[in-house]
Amino acid sequence: MSSQTGKWREEQVLVICPGSQTTLAQLGCNELTPPVHRFPTRMFKDPDSDDHWRPHHTYKRKKQSAAAGGDGENAWEYVEDTDSVEGAVYPIQAGRIAHMDAFLAFLEHVHSQLTTTYHNTPIMLMASPQWTRPDCEAIARYIFEKTKTPALCLIHSGIATQYGLKWPNMTVVDVGFEKVDVTCIYDGRVVSHRDVGPHLHDDDVSGGEAFTRRLLQLLEKQGFDYDMAEQLKKSPICEVLPYASEKPELMDLPAETGAAPVAAAVAEAPKIVEPARSYAPAGVDGEAGANGETKEAEEDGVLDVANIVASGQTREFLAKKEREKAERAAKARKGKDKEAAADAAQRAARLPNSKRERNAFHYEELVTEDVPVAAAPKESTSTDVAMTETAEGSTSGAAPAAEGQPLPSDAQPADSAPTATERVTRRVRRDIEVGLERFQFADRKAVDRIVTAMYHAVQGIEDMYMRPGCWENIVFVGNGARIRGLRDNVMQTLQARHLVSPSSATMFTSELPSHMGTPSGTGSQTPTSSFAGGPPHQLPTTTTSGVNPLLQAATTAASLGVPGGNANAMGSHAASGDAAAAVGGGGGAPTSHHFHSQTPTHIRLAPLPSYLTEWSKHGFEEAMFLGAQVAARLAFCIHNLDAQGLEAQRLMSLSRVDYNELGPKGIRLHSMLG
């Protein structure tokens, strides 16, 4: 028995949640906050030894200091490049540990970065569903022998998510880098699991990487590389459109671009036609005639034909007025066109991204270059001072050099020593316009694989009374679930293909034979005495009334009060709602609605907690880390428990005392692996 269980403070616990690309870690679980540290899940071979690993890319270069001379060993130095991925080894691939040595070295690196003491820091480590028992045993052996930790708790990623969201029954859809895990949990226990990802002899990845590769395939001809496609996938303009079953692409793609409405508004702007106006004659210079009569007549809109003819400038006057009229009309049309274009541009700017055919995103790239750095100036000596004074004396009578002209050779600055180079990384940003490819990246094949895995995971639960609770509390986690519209599209696809409306349950009463009692919600479902069929547990060989035999057997079994879990033993693949209500359904409480065993009648997202402000702003895609913090409190920090609570707490983690007694295999019993 362990004497150290529950003896640690919350700030002593180390929480580690490894991922294929990023590992979340934090020392302390006293504050339920988003992860403080994020480590790239990769290691690099040591250039001097194949058995050692380094956390960053390390290369050897020649020293550029003046003190280092020759080709000896002192003339070379090792430099770490924290941004380079050259030669990187990713130990976790699609949830599986592909390189155990690199992963163990990575765990030691994370532990050394966050802790200062080895003997008083219990570890909460999240395990992927793909980790095998030998993997868990190897990890336990390494941690206890290398890090000297007093206790280790391995927790299933789905169970960790459940601890974070506090729903006893739920379906966790973890959209990772190259895989999608679907875990069904009932009453705190893993009852079903499906994963979508590359399997043996299969390179067809799923998850976020599948969408990135699809984007790259669509935009490769436009000069896109992998990093550009990855940033586009994470940008707000890249989204999965809602599921539209009536469309050939199963989505409603926009028909106009953001610029097309502007051009259309400019081209189709109404032409301004001015009403006919009358003009009075003017003098030679176009001003009013004698005594101002012509000007007054023009202002009044009266055209004095006699004065125009008498002036002898009839043709010139009419031509000038026509030009002025045309200029005013053109100016008016131009102003109207500008207003129409501005209005159209504003309307296009207000259009949501899903209604635009083209949109721009901000691409940021890191540019690394070697920048020359001036060497430190050497100290002045008496000889240098004398030479400077001589140079000043020789040039004192000369005129100053013109601006921009080089100094004389004897007036060069004293710090013109050879310069060294320093590697500098700067961020460059530019805007790139993208078309419909930002919607078409959601390959229907990838989405269908997720939907199919979810359906088979829930419907694969043997005890069918557990299925409604899993259908009614679905949660999407993993950074791949941050893609805009992905979870909505998956839910809409599920509901369109597999959901049976509760109103369709009337088929149980509409197809019943007339001599049977109608099932009701009061439990009074005893058939009438006129029923002359065989035993209720046997299916009739022939049907003369046209009633579905499976339906009749299910209804008969329900009338006898047979629980839903035994319906299959009676030859029926359907169960009544009363049987489910008697046993108990989702949310840890008996369900109040009827359900069918073959198809779900309710498919809903699980409500997310709102009492954690920081997590509400951050998003619950990393809810497994929140759950790992909560579980760490329960496993290591709860005191004053009764005997039953102490035994349950002891089985949650493997202490050093239990490890010395049971060995690495003790992690099978002392863990939270579901």
Side-chain angles (χ1 to χ4, degrees):
M1 295 288 293
S2 173
S3 60
Q4 295 180 341
T5 302
K7 297 298 180 72
W8 296 282
R9 298 189 302 272
E10 293 177 351
E11 59 268 17
Q12 292 178 299
V13 182
L14 177 61
V15 181
I16 305 176
C17 294
S20 300
Q21 293 291 301
T22 305
T23 293
L24 313 177
Q26 181 175 311
L27 181 62
C29 58
N30 51 338
E31 296 291 339
L32 299 179
T33 58
V36 177
H37 302 280
R38 298 174 183 271
F39 296 89
T41 313
R42 63 187 182 220
M43 295 297 286
F44 299 84
K45 283 283 189 179
D46 193 318
D48 291 338
S49 174
D50 293 338
D51 298 334
H52 295 81
W53 298 86
R54 289 179 176 265
H56 306 293
H57 172 61
T58 306
Y59 62 96
K60 184 187 290 187
R61 73 176 182 183
K62 197 168 186 178
K63 292 182 179 179
Q64 299 182 0
S65 60
D71 295 333
E73 190 67 25
N74 294 331
W76 297 87
E77 63 180 353
Y78 286 100
V79 180
E80 284 189 349
D81 189 352
T82 57
D83 298 322
S84 176
V85 295
E86 180 181 353
V89 175
Y90 293 89
I92 300 180
Q93 298 178 7
R96 296 172 175 82
I97 301 179
H99 204 298
M100 180 60 72
D101 293 341
F103 181 68
L104 297 178
F106 174 75
L107 290 179
E108 185 176 5
H109 164 66
V110 174
H111 187 274
S112 63
Q113 290 293 312
L114 300 182
T115 60
T116 55
T117 59
Y118 285 100
H119 62 282
N120 203 25
T121 305
I123 298 177
M124 167 65 69
L125 180 63
M126 189 189 74
S128 174
Q130 283 81 13
W131 291 8
T132 62
R133 286 186 176 181
D135 291 339
C136 297
E137 294 174 7
I139 293 171
R141 180 187 297 108
Y142 184 85
I143 288 179
F144 277 105
E145 294 180 1
K146 296 295 182 181
T147 64
K148 309 300 180 184
T149 183
L152 169 66
C153 177
L154 284 181
I155 184 171
H156 190 284
S157 61
I159 299 294
T161 304
Q162 185 198 32
Y163 271 81
L165 300 180
K166 294 186 176 181
W167 284 98
N169 311 322
M170 63 190 313
T171 298
V172 181
V173 184
D174 186 355
V175 185
F177 176 62
E178 292 181 340
K179 52 88 180 180
V180 177
D181 283 319
V182 182
T183 305
C184 298
I185 302 173
Y186 187 85
D187 200 15
R189 179 171 58 93
V190 177
V191 294
S192 180
H193 173 262
R194 293 288 189 279
D195 67 280
V196 183
H199 298 280
L200 190 62
H201 307 298
D202 182 12
D203 193 31
D204 196 3
V205 300
S206 184
E209 179 67 7
F211 299 121
T212 304
R213 293 184 183 182
R214 178 60 178 167
L215 264 178
L216 182 60
Q217 180 183 359
L218 293 173
L219 296 171
E220 194 171 10
K221 295 181 179 179
Q222 301 182 22
F224 271 63
D225 56 12
Y226 181 85
D227 186 58
M228 296 172 68
E230 181 71 15
Q231 287 196 30
L232 175 60
K233 183 190 71 174
K234 297 178 181 178
S235 67
I237 71 169
C238 193
E239 62 177 310
V240 183
L241 296 179
Y243 179 80
S245 58
E246 69 279 0
K247 299 291 183 178
E249 303 89 356
L250 297 181
M251 64 179 69
D252 190 7
L253 294 173
E256 291 182 338
T257 64
V262 179
V266 172
E268 299 177 1
K271 296 181 180 180
I272 307 299
V273 180
E274 293 186 345
R277 298 181 58 185
S278 301
Y279 300 94
V284 177
D285 54 355
E287 294 295 332
N291 300 324
E293 297 176 356
T294 306
K295 185 174 182 180
E296 292 177 0
E298 182 180 352
E299 290 177 354
D300 294 338
V302 179
L303 185 61
D304 194 345
V305 180
N307 289 337
I308 295 175
V309 176
S311 65
Q313 302 286 339
T314 305
R315 184 173 300 176
E316 291 80 358
F317 174 78
L318 294 177
K320 178 177 175 29
K321 289 303 179 183
E322 289 297 332
R323 286 196 303 270
E324 292 177 357
K325 179 181 178 181
E327 290 176 359
R328 284 194 298 268
K331 187 180 294 185
R333 283 197 302 269
K334 186 175 181 180
K336 295 295 184 180
D337 291 348
K338 286 184 178 180
E339 293 179 1
D343 293 342
Q346 292 179 0
R347 289 196 301 269
R350 290 193 297 266
L351 284 176
N353 176 63
S354 59
K355 300 299 182 182
R356 302 186 189 182
E357 185 180 356
R358 304 193 67 82
N359 208 341
F361 84 103
H362 307 298
Y363 170 63
E364 294 183 354
E365 59 179 336
L366 297 177
V367 178
T368 304
E369 55 186 0
D370 293 331
V371 178
V373 179
K378 60 181 180 179
E379 298 180 357
S380 302
T381 60
S382 58
T383 306
D384 297 334
V385 173
M387 293 179 62
T388 305
E389 292 177 353
T390 304
E392 292 178 354
S394 61
T395 59
S396 59
E403 184 178 356
Q405 297 294 329
L407 295 174
S409 59
D410 56 354
Q412 293 291 335
D415 58 348
S416 60
T419 59
T421 59
E422 180 181 0
R423 178 162 291 189
V424 177
T425 302
R426 56 190 179 92
R427 190 178 298 273
V428 180
R429 173 176 167 177
R430 54 195 176 101
D431 295 339
I432 302 177
E433 193 178 40
V434 186
L436 293 178
E437 294 85 2
R438 70 188 195 278
F439 303 131
Q440 298 170 339
F441 77 98
D443 192 0
R444 177 47 51 182
K445 177 182 177 182
V447 175
D448 287 346
R449 293 177 70 190
I450 299 176
V451 172
T452 304
M454 294 175 62
Y455 181 78
H456 286 296
V458 180
Q459 294 301 113
I461 302 175
E462 293 184 0
D463 296 329
M464 56 189 158
Y465 68 87
M466 300 180 180
R467 299 173 189 172
C470 296
W471 276 125
E472 295 176 2
N473 296 301
I474 299 176
V475 61
F476 289 81
V477 297
N479 286 321
R482 295 184 184 272
I483 301 176
R484 293 183 60 186
L486 178 59
R487 72 186 67 190
D488 296 333
N489 188 285
V490 172
M491 293 298 295
Q492 292 163 2
T493 306
L494 266 175
Q495 294 168 354
R497 297 184 180 179
H498 303 296
L499 181 64
V500 173
S501 174
S503 61
S504 64
T506 56
M507 66 181 181
F508 278 91
T509 59
S510 62
E511 294 191 12
L512 290 177
S514 59
H515 55 266
M516 282 197 64
T518 303
S520 62
T522 60
S524 176
Q525 297 179 342
T526 306
T528 60
S529 58
S530 61
F531 176 67
H537 60 275
Q538 295 180 358
L539 292 178
T541 55
T542 59
T543 58
T544 58
S545 60
V547 180
N548 188 344
L550 295 178
L551 180 61
Q552 182 175 351
T555 311
T556 308
S559 66
L560 296 178
V562 178
N566 297 329
N568 289 333
M570 299 185 64
S572 173
H573 295 280
S576 71
D578 289 341
V583 179
T591 56
S592 59
H593 58 79
H594 300 269
F595 72 97
H596 312 288
S597 65
Q598 292 299 315
T599 53
T601 57
H602 295 80
I603 300 178
R604 291 192 289 259
L605 290 173
L608 300 177
S610 58
Y611 52 87
L612 298 172
T613 306
E614 294 188 22
W615 279 98
S616 298
K617 297 178 181 178
H618 179 75
F620 286 92
E621 286 79 12
E622 295 174 343
M624 67 286 291
F625 186 83
L626 171 62
Q629 292 176 309
V630 175
R633 287 182 175 184
L634 299 176
F636 299 127
C637 307
I638 301 297
H639 306 279
N640 302 325
L641 296 174
D642 55 8
Q644 185 178 3
L646 284 175
E647 181 63 18
Q649 188 183 53
R650 189 180 74 89
L651 295 176
M652 292 175 68
S653 62
L654 180 64
S655 66
R656 180 164 292 277
V657 176
D658 291 329
Y659 175 78
N660 293 335
E661 179 182 354
L662 303 175
K665 293 185 178 180
I667 200 65
R668 300 182 182 180
L669 300 176
H670 298 265
S671 64
M672 301 177 67
L673 295 176

